[in-house]
Amino acid sequence: MARLDLYLRNSGLFRQRSAARQACDAGQVWVAGQPAKASREVRVGEVLRLCTPDSELEAEIVAI
């Protein structure tokens, strides 16, 4: 398991962990259909959804 903000940084979706944390705080990151806090632990098999003003991404977490 890993923290969501760290996972987002390590997966390349965000360049900085602080940017991932800000996106979580702004309600742009959802996991398993729920808005997610940056400190949330993510697991393989969960569905991650990232919604920004410019785009939307939905993906299943297959590895941590």
Side-chain angles (χ1 to χ4, degrees):
M1 287 189 288
R3 284 177 54 106
L4 177 59
D5 56 353
L6 190 58
Y7 175 80
L8 292 169
R9 163 61 183 99
N10 291 340
S11 66
L13 292 171
F14 287 90
R15 296 183 83 192
Q16 297 176 335
R17 188 174 173 184
S18 60
R21 193 171 330 143
Q22 289 173 349
C24 291
D25 291 344
Q28 296 176 330
V29 181
W30 292 55
V31 177
Q34 300 282 331
K37 293 184 179 182
S39 61
R40 183 192 193 285
E41 295 288 326
V42 293
R43 294 182 174 91
V44 172
E46 290 184 313
V47 176
L48 171 75
R49 185 173 175 203
L50 175 61
C51 302
T52 65
D54 301 328
S55 64
E56 187 173 313
L57 170 77
E58 185 170 300
E60 182 178 347
I61 298 172
V62 295
I64 297 179

